[in-house]
Amino acid sequence: MSDTALRHRLAERGVDRQLLLLVPGLACVLALFVYPFAYGIGLSFQPASGGVLGAYRAFFTDAYQRDTIATTLGLALPAAILNVAASVPIAYLMRGRFRGKRFLTTILVVPITLGTVLTAEGLLNYLGPTGWFNRALMSIGVIDEPVRLTNNYWGVFFSLVITGFPFAFLLILSYLSGIDPTLERAAATLGAGRWQRFSRITLPLLAPGLATTFCLTFVLAFSVFPSAVLVGDPAGSTRVVSIAAYHAAYEAYDYPLGSAIAVIMGVVELVVVAVVLGLRSLFYTGSTGGKG
Amino acid sequence: MSDFAELRLDGVRRRFGGRDALTGLSLTIRRGEFIALLGPSGCGKSTALNCLAGLLPLSEGSIWQDETRLDTVPPERRGFGMVFQNYALFPHLSVRRNVSFGLQMRRLPRDEVRRRTDEAIKLVRLEEHAAKLPGQLSGGQQQRVAIARAIVLEPALVLMDEPLSNLDAKLRLEMRTEIRRLHQSLGLTTVYVTHDQEEALSLADRLVVLRDGRVEQIGTPQELHNRPANRHVADFMGYRNLLPMKVKAVHGATVTVDGAGLTLDGTAVGDVAPGDDVVAGIRPEDLLAGEHGVPVTVEVVEYQGREFAVEARTGEGVALHLRALERPAVGERITVTAAPSRVLVFAS
Amino acid sequence: MSDFAELRLDGVRRRFGGRDALTGLSLTIRRGEFIALLGPSGCGKSTALNCLAGLLPLSEGSIWQDETRLDTVPPERRGFGMVFQNYALFPHLSVRRNVSFGLQMRRLPRDEVRRRTDEAIKLVRLEEHAAKLPGQLSGGQQQRVAIARAIVLEPALVLMDEPLSNLDAKLRLEMRTEIRRLHQSLGLTTVYVTHDQEEALSLADRLVVLRDGRVEQIGTPQELHNRPANRHVADFMGYRNLLPMKVKAVHGATVTVDGAGLTLDGTAVGDVAPGDDVVAGIRPEDLLAGEHGVPVTVEVVEYQGREFAVEARTGEGVALHLRALERPAVGERITVTAAPSRVLVFAS
Amino acid sequence: APNGGGATDGPVPEKPDDAVTINILDVAGNLQLTQGMIDDFVSKNGDQISKVTYSKATAPELVGKIKAQQSAGRVDIDLVLTGVDGLAAGIDQSLWTPLLPTHAARLPGMNDYQEGAAAMQKLAGDFGVTITYYPSGPLLEYLPGKVPTPPKSAQELLAYAKANPGAVQYARPSNSGPGRTFLMGLPYLLGDSDPKDPVNGWAKTWAYLAELNKYVTLYPSSTSETMKNLANGSAKIIASTTGWDINPRVLGTVPKEAKVQTLEGFHWVTDAHYAVIPRGVPTGKQAAILNLLKDMLTPQQQAKAYDQGYFYPGPALKDVTLSMAPEESQKALAEYGRPEYEQLIASNPLEVPLDAKSLVAAFDRWDREIGGAKVKK
Amino acid sequence: MRRLTVGAWLVWGAVAFFLINLAALIGAVVVNSVGRRWFDTWLPQGWTTHWYASAWKEFGLLQVLVVTLEVALLVVAISVLVGVPASYVLARRSFPGRRLVYLLFLLPILMPPITYGIPLATVLYKYGFAGHLAGVVLANLVPSIPFVILTMTPFIEQIDQSVERAARMCGARTWQIFARILAPLLVPGILAASILVLVRTVGMFELTFLTAGPDSQTLVVALYYSMSAAGIRAQQSVDAMAVLYTSSMLVLLVAALRFVNPTQLVARVKDEPD
Ligand SMILES: Nc1ncnc2c1ncn2[C@@H]1O[C@H](COP(=O)(O)OP(=O)(O)OP(=O)(O)O)[C@@H](O)[C@H]1O
Ligand SMILES: Nc1ncnc2c1ncn2[C@@H]1O[C@H](COP(=O)(O)OP(=O)(O)OP(=O)(O)O)[C@@H](O)[C@H]1O
Ligand SMILES: [Mg+2]
Ligand SMILES: [Mg+2]
């Protein structure tokens, strides 16, 4: 009797046997994500020398290492901002139904399939000093020296845009179509012109979606690794944090330092995400009229 | 664009991908009128309203406001107010800012915006809720915000697209009175879309009945209620008994029809000749239990507060809906008649 | 579990995270009865139904089927049928397979499954549509599939949760008759949830009115219609004029109340004493225009087919809802009275 | 796997009891030269080796992988083909099974190493067996059409770079063989105090690199990139080695007419590939591998190392001539080879490369001070 | 019908510019992969498919493709099996700690793979998983399971719960409800999630790179090696391999887009006619 009573009490709060279905998923995340992460944090506090915080000290006292954070942010933030900012007007124009929408969406999403290597090769071939791009510009006389767009900041930046844009675009398109189109029509009947409808209705409703999209694109860009090596200048202007982490762990065999850098990377990224999500909470975040 | 004496729709037509959603709608709306567009789902009511609002371009025809052509003017410059079916309140703006939105778009001075907003909010009795977001309001309150937002601009014309369809029965009744009150007290001109005949009858000065994008009948509520132009309008106007029959004889306006074991006298609507297939329409409340008449067996009895709704079946198996003041027993046999003036005979 | 003489709910209570959604529901359902649970949104109707079905465990109380305790039996073994608000048809199964699903779950022999499925489909007149998917059916047809699916198992009890609320007015009326017919002809026992008083009155043998999870009144439609137990039930039963007043005098069952510039004679419901604050309830159709009575100004007039619904205001600004057979002009002053037997005075 | 579970230490038999499967990991690009030799051995000795699997990885991962496998007690890489870097890192972490002098007698070919290869073998200590060898570089490569008079000394190179900013290119040393050979060759060219000590002995080299850096606009992250730039004309002089000179021209990445140039007073910085066996490989497999290595160190097999100039010349043994090589090699080298190499190799000193630790220190310093110097701080 | 404003022209112009450059970028790689020699000219000096053959042989692409397929299918299967029940609970139930659980599932997607990839690889090496198929699969599960959960949760939410209740009222047991009602209704969602996970896994570089062994390299990793590992290789065959990779991803993506409406990833709304 008291057994059923307890069962009922738990059931009232939503606890019953069905929750067991969560267990495999939770187990995987705990074993494969939380534990390794904790292990990595633990490892980062056991450097060969320098005490508990030695690895962190080593990272922060060495300008060459420390600066990788600024380098990475310098790449990831503008790239994420551009991806989001460029997606908004395009997605906005692609609301509603029109013929060829699916095709155009597919085309815009194609870069997802390119992969780092093809993007890198493509950038090197196409934007390289004698690639078609420079050739075209030179043959129409815009420039007379090839502009250098690869093996430096720009190469990595372009590859981040090419791989990040489709994600941002898809998400924003999706958020936009979640906004009830009658809201804009309502605004129109109230005398709002095109720009006012966008800026006063659509944009504020989209803002939380923009923040989420920005975070996800930023995460993608922040962890840039292969393209920083392949199209960048991995010793110089594109020495990003992940290169430092990889170098420490797999070239210098300093696992504590590698873990410490990974932890620092996670922290920096979470800080950015937290700031953005904090800003997001300033906006209206409820239903946007679509049946979400 | 502001005040006007009349608004004219002239052969308005709208196609969607080759299919007509609305054809040849011609209608003159006089200042101060309350017009209801009535019809079943998909008949083109919203299409008509959106054309009027400028939210949909016309495929053919024109719209005139007195002598100005209106159908080329974008919606934001027509100066009409609109109340949407799901209200379309801006979810991120407070009630006050929803209501003042239109005034701000007009760049009115701050003071005036404040004054008129307050007035409108008061009119719909939402003073206490002015600072809330729409998501925190009940359906009826949201409804009132939508109305306040539309009328605060003192629009020449207010358009309403099934504004009550999302409310529950009791609230619907209340809001209906509210809408009629506002229309009267503010001297608005209103076009109102609904699929509920009761609502249309109770609110409108004139009704436009649509079916499949075409106008079936335009008239006052009384006209429609008593003299529907055809069986479809009748169906919509509560003629629940629609019996396919054959004309036996015609004597002036009175015709005798029979079919399915019944013989009835009725009033012809339109031209009918003996031998024609017709539909006889009778409201349940016009079928009276009496001494003489058709014998039927009671099948279903429903209590309706004052009277009982009865479904009965004739010997030939035709179902009839009628009303009774006393509860008949299920299975009981009674006889029913109808006054010839209450039986409408439509050419089918 | 199959047939039974009566089903007893005994102090049934259900909490959600500390808040009571339903308290102390005690009710005996006799075989063959049609019970309606009536109440505004959120009052616990669906909770009660789900407890009865076994879809929600009880927090307290018990349910008995004759002498067997039922509340510990899982829903799939109670043998009840259920019709859901939005039908909850299996969208990937054809009409036929929707209907036969329950029979298949019982592992009945193929022939019997086929026979009983055919029968049920015929009963709801969907023979032509048996092979279609639910998505290809209209609302009314889906509704009928849902009913067929529930009754094909010949359940001891059929539960319906606002089965008509998604249909449009005309269809709602038709399906209502249909449901009553099936209940009668199959000899079902039915518990029906609705927030529409008209529906409840017309369908049920007995009504249970709920508010905030508590039972307000249980009785036949006539009892509820004519003698609501309190102002809340009255509100629900169409007593649209609910006027806060003060008791002036009591003469047996008749009390004289006044307030807001009105003085009325009425019938007390419950104990009232002079000086008490009370609420006087009057239906619009019981407020008659007459020679003597309260003078009011007509504010809103709505046509309702036969009569006109009028909203009028007394000198003191109290709004009254009444009916008139002739259209009064807006602004006209008329006088209204009500028979004392039709004015109910509730202790508030 | 067959014989997978046998003892991992103790005496190594002459032959495995049963045919074994050998997993070979190549972190140096060595299979290009030796896969033919190995396949040949396997096809003739089916009783010892039933199957070989090949896989490739980069040198930096090697240590982590093997170490992890060893600590998990399950080593499934049986033979590693590596350059100096992987070899040294493994020695440092004691990953390898000592092969010498225990098994010296089983590898008679080791007595016939040519001079440079023998020096390289010294670097391997007791653990690795040199299987291919080449003198490498540093060489400069250019297109005669674009550079009619190539620089002949380090100073001329600097002057040329100054006159043609952006025209001189070498890839980031830690990603590139020619890049690191250039780095290691400079101290000899410039006469630094200790060419083997990049931290304290390379004063002139670092100064020179810093000066050169002013006129280098780009350090690509792979040698292929510099080759492509040479081919398309955006670079005029790039660092190269014998193999990188010949093979890309065979492949068509670089025009056939490209030429190489050495700088005055240059020393070859040699390079080699080694075979090593990780600790924890069963003795049966060790036996098979030793027999394989013995076979690979015979002149007939070594001749295959000529390849298409990939590691020119390639053989580690003395007196393995081109005429012994497969016909395809002979044809390719007849067309794209450079007869002058023989003379160059014979007349210039051979130096072994830096040991792994110093090399990593040199890379790190290069990354920070040269490659990273472009970044505004 | 709709007139384009200046802004719209600018945006479409920018889109066209982006697409043209993108096409040229892809074109440059494709042309190079079929070009014989290509130096300082607009087009190569001849055409050949030889690089594809040599890439196939040199990189052992057959084995790589088999491994890629194995990894991808295993990851998809496991993450669906584990993720769908979890998302069912998250979609249907409210219980104490639900938000925490949700956050826990969100984190692996919010974190750059390399931040947990390095410690994960270390741990997997410690337990002897890394370097094998098992390790690659386990590592790829980390972002995949949450991904399945995040895409399936809204999908399950939009399946009316009363359908399940209706089945129960018809006498169906829990497993019968799963098998006969939920599974068929979830098929499109599972398919969509699977294909997206497949695309992600095939394209996932960091985690695979850090945990793959010699016999468990997937196509991306092989590609990266072909570009960065020691030795001399013809660029053209690297390009050929990249083209092969991209074409297979493209096929997957186009297939995915047939099942998922890209506009309905985060919000499921009916396309409103306008
Ligand atoms: N954007 C559109 N594209 C294609 N067809 C449309 C579009 N909008 C409406 N239609 C079609 O036009 C017809 C009329 O639609 P409309 O919305 O005006 O009907 P309605 O009378 O308002 O119906 P409801 O009562 O359901 O709102 C319908 O058949 C509908 O399918
Ligand atoms: N799963 C639940 N968790 C928490 N509260 C609930 C849950 N289900 C119902 N409630 C609460 O219990 C109360 C009664 O809900 P119930 O669904 O029974 O109302 P109802 O009378 O059916 O209303 P409606 O007419 O809107 O369907 C409401 O206040 C509701 O918010
Ligand atoms: Mg509509
Ligand atoms: Mg309910």
Side-chain angles (χ1 to χ4, degrees), chain B residues 42-172:
Chain B
C43 69
K45 305 181 295 293
S46 299
T47 306
L49 207 65
N50 286 328
C51 287
L52 200 46
L55 296 171
L56 271 180
L58 308 187
S59 303
E60 259 174 47
S62 53
I63 301 177
W64 300 82
Q65 192 175 32
D66 298 329
E67 295 317 306
T68 359
R69 183 157 183 175
L70 204 62
D71 54 302
T72 48
V73 176
E76 62 267 29
R77 286 201 280 131
R78 295 196 187 186
F80 295 166
M82 184 147 172
V83 179
F84 292 81
Q85 177 164 3
N86 52 0
Y87 320 138
L89 299 181
F90 306 132
H92 59 302
L93 301 181
S94 67
V95 167
R96 162 175 299 284
R97 297 199 38 217
N98 259 284
V99 174
S100 64
F101 185 87
L103 297 169
Q104 285 169 348
M105 291 298 112
R106 308 257 141 116
R107 307 188 183 289
L108 296 183
R110 280 244 202 146
D111 283 353
E112 194 180 342
V113 170
R114 172 142 1 105
R115 188 179 52 72
R116 285 173 64 177
T117 307
D118 282 343
E119 235 166 55
I121 290 179
K122 202 161 153 216
L123 205 62
V124 295
R125 284 173 272 150
L126 282 173
E127 295 95 329
E128 295 163 41
H129 305 285
K132 290 190 183 162
L133 290 178
Q136 302 166 311
L137 301 180
S138 75
Q141 291 165 338
Q142 292 189 19
Q143 167 72 61
R144 297 212 290 265
V145 180
I147 294 176
R149 188 177 65 177
I151 60 176
V152 73
L153 296 171
E154 293 167 11
L157 182 69
V158 178
L159 306 167
M160 303 196 182
D161 193 354
E162 312 207 17
L164 303 183
S165 64
N166 285 345
L167 303 181
D168 72 27
K170 196 160 158 289
L171 199 55
R172 198 148 57 215

Side-chain angles (χ1 to χ4, degrees), chain D residues 84 114-124 130 133-137 180-181 184-185 187-188 194-197 202 267-272 274 349-356 358-359:
Chain D
V84 187
Q114 37 175 312
E115 183 199 348
M120 292 302 291
Q121 176 61 35
K122 289 211 185 80
L123 289 182
T130 309
Y133 158 83
Y134 86 138
S136 190
R180 77 181 60 170
T181 310
M184 290 189 287
Y188 299 102
D194 184 355
K196 290 270 168 358
D197 182 0
W202 282 19
H267 292 211
W268 293 102
V269 178
T270 58
D271 196 3
Y274 304 88
L350 300 169
E351 305 287 349
V352 293
L354 293 181
D355 65 80
S358 314
L359 194 58

Side-chain angles (χ1 to χ4, degrees), chain B residues 73-287:
Chain B
V73 176
E76 62 267 29
R77 286 201 280 131
R78 295 196 187 186
F80 295 166
M82 184 147 172
V83 179
F84 292 81
Q85 177 164 3
N86 52 0
Y87 320 138
L89 299 181
F90 306 132
H92 59 302
L93 301 181
S94 67
V95 167
R96 162 175 299 284
R97 297 199 38 217
N98 259 284
V99 174
S100 64
F101 185 87
L103 297 169
Q104 285 169 348
M105 291 298 112
R106 308 257 141 116
R107 307 188 183 289
L108 296 183
R110 280 244 202 146
D111 283 353
E112 194 180 342
V113 170
R114 172 142 1 105
R115 188 179 52 72
R116 285 173 64 177
T117 307
D118 282 343
E119 235 166 55
I121 290 179
K122 202 161 153 216
L123 205 62
V124 295
R125 284 173 272 150
L126 282 173
E127 295 95 329
E128 295 163 41
H129 305 285
K132 290 190 183 162
L133 290 178
Q136 302 166 311
L137 301 180
S138 75
Q141 291 165 338
Q142 292 189 19
Q143 167 72 61
R144 297 212 290 265
V145 180
I147 294 176
R149 188 177 65 177
I151 60 176
V152 73
L153 296 171
E154 293 167 11
L157 182 69
V158 178
L159 306 167
M160 303 196 182
D161 193 354
E162 312 207 17
L164 303 183
S165 64
N166 285 345
L167 303 181
D168 72 27
K170 196 160 158 289
L171 199 55
R172 198 148 57 215
L173 223 61
E174 282 173 34
M175 289 308 303
R176 197 204 274 177
T177 314
E178 192 76 29
I179 286 175
R180 182 73 209 182
R181 184 209 318 284
L182 286 170
H183 171 81
Q184 280 173 3
S185 61
L186 296 179
L188 301 172
T189 310
T190 308
V191 177
Y192 186 100
V193 161
T194 179
H195 63 256
D196 182 341
Q197 49 112 347
E198 216 182 292
E199 213 170 281
L201 286 176
S202 69
L203 282 171
D205 299 322
R206 276 199 301 153
L207 270 66
V208 179
V209 180
L210 294 175
R211 198 170 72 93
D212 283 350
R214 281 168 202 288
V215 175
E216 296 273 313
Q217 191 171 2
I218 302 185
T220 64
Q222 274 91 338
E223 278 165 19
L224 271 114
H225 189 258
N226 300 331
R227 277 278 171 276
N230 58 41
R231 52 154 302 182
H232 301 294
V233 179
D235 190 17
F236 232 78
M237 287 295 138
Y239 287 73
R240 229 184 138 191
N241 299 295
L242 287 169
L243 312 168
M245 303 187 108
K246 255 202 162 54
V247 176
K248 227 167 102 181
V250 181
H251 319 278
T254 310
V255 288
T256 309
V257 292
D258 70 355
L262 290 170
T263 305
L264 291 168
D265 282 344
T267 310
V269 178
D271 286 343
V272 293
D276 280 3
D277 281 330
V278 292
V279 173
I282 315 165
R283 298 171 173 279
E285 53 268 41
D286 292 331
L287 266 184

Side-chain angles (χ1 to χ4, degrees), chain C residues 120-256:
Chain C
I121 290 178
K122 201 162 154 216
L123 205 63
V124 296
R125 284 173 273 151
L126 282 173
E127 295 95 328
E128 296 163 40
H129 305 286
K132 290 189 183 163
L133 289 179
Q136 301 166 312
L137 301 180
S138 75
Q141 291 166 339
Q142 292 188 20
Q143 171 68 63
R144 296 212 289 265
V145 179
I147 295 176
R149 187 178 66 178
I151 60 176
V152 73
L153 297 170
E154 293 166 9
L157 181 68
V158 179
L159 305 167
M160 303 197 183
D161 193 352
E162 312 207 18
L164 303 182
S165 65
N166 283 347
L167 302 181
D168 71 28
K170 196 159 158 289
L171 201 53
R172 199 150 54 216
L173 224 59
E174 281 172 33
M175 289 308 303
R176 198 204 274 178
T177 314
E178 192 76 27
I179 287 176
R180 182 74 208 181
R181 184 211 316 286
L182 286 169
H183 170 82
Q184 281 174 2
S185 61
L186 296 179
L188 300 172
T189 310
T190 308
V191 177
Y192 186 100
V193 161
T194 179
H195 62 255
D196 182 341
Q197 48 113 347
E198 215 181 293
E199 213 170 282
L201 286 176
S202 70
L203 282 170
D205 298 322
R206 276 199 301 152
L207 270 66
V208 178
V209 181
L210 293 175
R211 198 171 73 94
D212 282 350
R214 281 167 202 291
V215 175
E216 297 272 315
Q217 190 170 5
I218 302 184
T220 64
Q222 275 91 339
E223 279 164 19
L224 272 115
H225 190 259
N226 300 330
R227 277 278 171 276
N230 59 41
R231 52 155 300 186
H232 302 295
V233 179
D235 190 18
F236 231 79
M237 286 296 138
Y239 287 73
R240 231 186 135 187
N241 299 295
L242 287 170
L243 313 167
M245 301 187 110
K246 253 200 167 50
V247 177
K248 229 168 101 182
V250 182
H251 320 278
T254 309
V255 288
T256 309

Side-chain angles (χ1 to χ4, degrees), chain A residues 87-96 169 172-173 176 184 194-195 197-199 202-203 206, chain E residues 2 12:
Chain A
S87 303
V88 173
I90 301 173
Y92 188 70
L93 288 181
M94 286 183 61
R95 283 164 318 156
F169 171 73
I172 287 176
L173 188 60
L176 258 179
E184 274 204 43
R194 268 172 209 281
W195 169 249
R197 296 200 291 261
F198 175 73
S199 65
T202 309
L203 197 58
L206 187 60
Chain E
R2 222 184 315 176
W12 289 128

